[in-house]
Amino acid sequence: MKVYFGFTVAGDRSSLGIARRLVELLESMGHEVLTRHLVSDDAARMDRAISPQAVFTRDMDWLRECEIFIAEVSGSSFGLGYEAGYVLGSSDKKAVLFYRREAENRISLLITGNTHPNCQLVPYSEPSEIEAQLRSTMGA
């Protein structure tokens, strides 16, 4: 599957290790992660190397192209909320939103309270919980 993996560039990136693990796991399962660059140490520099309009156009194209939206939203940002809302509001695609249980009180209630039928919220405490859920979601 083509996966749009959402992860903050401008927000709290303290979950970067988990986000990288998710991307690696998706790729090891044979999926194409369109947004792999988001888990690079220099993601912000890479995005700032092009115009904001180019980032918008590129990301909207990827959101239309993807078959599923998966995100680590513990460091929730405006961009992640926009992406999740766009996918859920404009398509029948599934959105899977992972977040650290300890971060729940800092995440937008529009994310943690999401009841859209195509949105799956996955709070976790341990990385093993993420891997099991991801394998289940992606049918592996």
Side-chain angles (χ1 to χ4, degrees):
M1 291 182 99
K2 289 185 179 184
V3 177
Y4 188 109
F5 182 79
F7 187 65
T8 186
V9 172
D12 173 9
R13 289 177 59 88
S14 62
S15 297
L16 181 58
I18 294 293
R20 282 185 178 141
R21 180 66 190 126
L22 281 164
V23 168
E24 290 167 359
L25 186 57
L26 286 163
E27 290 176 338
S28 75
M29 295 166 66
H31 301 292
E32 179 184 357
V33 179
L34 301 171
T35 53
R36 183 178 218 308
H37 73 284
L38 295 178
V39 298
S40 299
D41 287 331
D42 59 350
R45 184 192 58 76
M46 292 182 348
D47 272 1
R48 300 268 181 229
I50 59 177
S51 73
Q53 294 79 11
V55 170
F56 178 81
T57 299
R58 177 198 67 196
D59 289 6
M60 296 305 289
D61 287 346
W62 280 337
L63 285 167
R64 285 186 287 274
E65 180 183 352
C66 76
E67 297 167 81
I68 189 169
F69 176 78
I70 297 174
E72 205 305 333
V73 299
S74 299
S76 193
S77 69
F78 291 118
L80 283 169
Y82 184 92
E83 292 162 347
Y86 177 82
V87 165
L88 292 170
S90 70
S91 73
D92 291 329
K93 296 174 186 177
K94 188 172 183 178
V96 183
L97 308 178
F98 291 91
Y99 63 89
R100 293 188 325 266
R101 280 188 178 91
E102 80 232 22
E104 185 169 2
N105 291 333
R106 295 185 307 272
I107 299 170
S108 170
L109 298 176
L110 288 173
I111 289 180
T112 61
N114 194 320
T115 59
H116 191 285
N118 288 341
C119 184
Q120 180 180 8
L121 299 173
V122 186
Y124 67 89
S125 297
E126 299 297 326
S128 59
E129 295 173 78
I130 290 176
E131 293 185 26
Q133 184 60 53
L134 193 60
R135 289 185 188 283
S136 172
T137 297
M138 300 305 282

